[in-house]
Amino acid sequence: MRDEIETGGEAPYLQAGTPAYRRASRILFVAGFSTFATLYCVQPLLPDFVREFGVTPAESSLSLSLTTGILAVALLVAGAISDGIGRKPVMVAALLGAGILGIVGALMPGWHGFLAVRALEGLALSGLPAVAMAYVSEEVDPKSAGVAMGLYIGGTAIGGMSGRVLTAVLTDLGSWRLAVGVVGALAVAAAVTVWFALPPSRHFVRRAAGLPALVRAWRGLLTDPALLGLFSLGFLLMGGFVTVFNYIGFRLSEPPFELRPAVVGAVFLVYSFGVVSSPLFGGWSGRFGSNRTLAAAVSLMVAGLALMEIDGLFVIALGIALFTFAFFGAHSIVSAWIGRRAAVARGQASSIYLFCYYLGSTLAGTLGGLFWHGYGWTGVAAFVGLLLTVAVGVTVGLQRSR
């Protein structure tokens, strides 16, 4: 059976309610789950790395930041590769490569060898996020694409949360090596599942590879005002989201709350809201329009941020939940919108968006620390509020460039 069929749009789209659509949605959820479980599984293991390898806490964080940094840059190339050879083969290779590398990493005796493996994992994982977005945009009926994209993003949310929880539990039961090896094995299983169960591409059109073709595609994408706005939203929204989660734990650890670390760590459980909000907002965008639904999602993020400014534990928890719920909804809307807007080179369009997404995570998340040290939580909230204010302005601008 051929896995990529070049039809140029003649074959029927995956329609909501059909068995093929439901199967594709489930498999994309599995792919997103495995990708982000692999990416973030080392975060709770940093103290274990300090003890075993004798590195500093800052050096231990390289096991995550090196992976995400390589991932962000490699995303710019992964979309172009998938435009040349197809969506499904790239996704399968990404999961399989990351899984095998995860198992190898669990066996590495030295710190530098482990870091090298984690860097290669970032390179391998770059073949999934943007390509999965392009697959949904090409294969799913436009009216149903929002829900399918939402399920994929919901899988990434649960994967990011579960990767942290799973490795923490397995480390308590055995060792960090067991935990990393199990996550790697799960990625291999996900690769096999995607290969056999994900419906083949029927609307994929192979495009010329090489630097000249890449430059032409980028010129077209980066001169579209609407796409530029959508790309910037990736930076702004993810930057604000990561900044909140980087520093809300510090606020809850200090007076007047002084919560224990285990309780503060439970904050990450709100990632589960992404499973609900991503397909929910995706469905609403198909019903009420992407413009209105995106504006509502960004407004809810602002409301959640405002609640976190109040000195009441229950109100802060409600604000975090609302902020998270709205963020994953906004992310799913923008992701699907980019696929519809980019008539050609969808893989590269998704790659640029995700590059901006992770760049926002890196730059804004780090810059937020300056506001924390200088002005405490109020400074952090003001900084995130500024990012969201710009995001509101961009959203209004998108309504004029439909």
Side-chain angles (χ1 to χ4, degrees):
M1 181 182 70
R2 295 179 63 188
D3 289 298
E4 300 289 348
I5 304 173
E6 298 184 46
T7 65
E10 298 174 0
Y13 288 101
L14 297 175
Q15 299 279 349
T18 63
Y21 173 86
R22 289 193 292 269
R23 184 170 72 253
S25 297
R26 289 195 298 268
I27 300 307
L28 288 169
F29 182 94
V30 168
F33 177 97
S34 182
T35 300
F36 280 72
T38 303
L39 185 62
Y40 290 107
C41 70
V42 297
Q43 196 167 46
L45 305 179
L46 304 187
D48 296 274
F49 298 154
V50 171
R51 287 190 293 269
E52 176 157 343
F53 296 111
V55 296
T56 66
E59 289 172 327
S60 72
S61 69
L62 288 173
S63 60
L64 178 59
S65 59
L66 190 60
T67 310
T68 56
I70 295 294
L71 170 65
V73 175
L75 279 168
L76 297 174
V77 180
I81 293 174
S82 76
D83 283 341
I85 67 176
R87 312 303 185 197
K88 187 173 174 179
V90 174
M91 288 190 279
V92 171
L95 288 169
L96 183 62
I100 292 174
L101 286 167
I103 295 171
V104 171
L107 303 174
M108 291 299 294
W111 175 242
H112 291 99
F114 181 71
L115 284 184
V117 171
R118 285 291 297 173
L120 291 174
E121 280 190 272
L123 184 63
L125 288 171
S126 68
L128 200 134
V131 180
M133 289 170 57
Y135 175 90
V136 171
S137 300
E138 290 171 346
E139 304 304 323
V140 179
D141 178 73
K143 294 181 180 179
S144 307
V147 177
M149 189 72 75
L151 287 171
Y152 164 72
I153 291 172
T156 68
I158 290 296
M161 180 186 73
S162 300
R164 295 172 172 96
V165 174
L166 179 62
T167 50
V169 171
L170 290 176
T171 300
D172 284 341
L173 295 176
S175 69
W176 71 264
R177 294 183 182 277
L178 171 66
V180 171
V182 168
V183 172
L186 290 175
V188 172
V192 174
T193 302
V194 170
W195 178 253
F196 285 105
L198 185 68
S201 295
R202 297 185 181 275
H203 293 264
F204 169 74
V205 178
R206 195 179 309 276
R207 294 178 177 84
L211 185 58
L214 184 63
V215 171
R216 286 194 301 272
W218 276 42
R219 184 183 298 118
L221 295 171
L222 296 178
T223 53
D224 183 334
L227 281 175
L228 288 176
L230 293 168
F231 296 153
S232 70
L233 283 175
F235 180 96
L236 295 165
L237 298 180
M238 183 58 168
F241 181 74
V242 167
T243 301
V244 164
F245 274 86
N246 276 358
Y247 303 103
I248 192 65
F250 290 98
R251 185 185 186 203
L252 296 176
S253 300
E254 296 183 350
F257 307 110
E258 298 182 292
L259 299 181
R260 293 182 293 109
V263 179
V264 173
V267 167
F268 286 104
L269 293 175
V270 300
Y271 269 61
S272 59
F273 284 107
V275 178
V276 178
S277 67
S278 297
L280 188 62
F281 274 90
W284 286 341
S285 68
R287 182 178 178 184
F288 301 110
S290 298
N291 303 82
R292 293 179 180 178
T293 313
L294 179 60
V298 177
S299 298
L300 288 176
M301 288 183 69
V302 174
L305 180 67
L307 289 176
M308 283 183 265
E309 185 67 12
I310 299 173
D311 285 332
L313 193 57
F314 175 78
V315 179
I316 291 175
L318 181 62
I320 294 172
L322 181 60
F323 187 83
T324 304
F325 180 84
F327 166 75
F328 281 107
H331 179 34
S332 68
I333 295 167
V334 176
S335 299
W337 196 342
I338 285 173
R340 295 194 304 271
R341 182 74 186 190
V344 297
R346 287 190 175 99
Q348 293 171 52
S350 298
S351 296
I352 295 172
Y353 168 69
L354 289 173
F355 172 78
C356 295
Y357 183 85
Y358 287 110
L359 187 65
S361 171
T362 301
L363 297 182
T366 302
L367 185 58
L370 300 179
F371 287 88
W372 169 260
H373 290 299
Y375 307 100
W377 175 255
T378 300
V380 171
F383 172 60
V384 175
L386 176 62
L387 294 176
L388 294 182
T389 299
V390 177
V392 169
V394 173
T395 302
V396 172
L398 286 172
Q399 295 177 355
R400 301 171 181 169
S401 60
R402 293 180 60 183

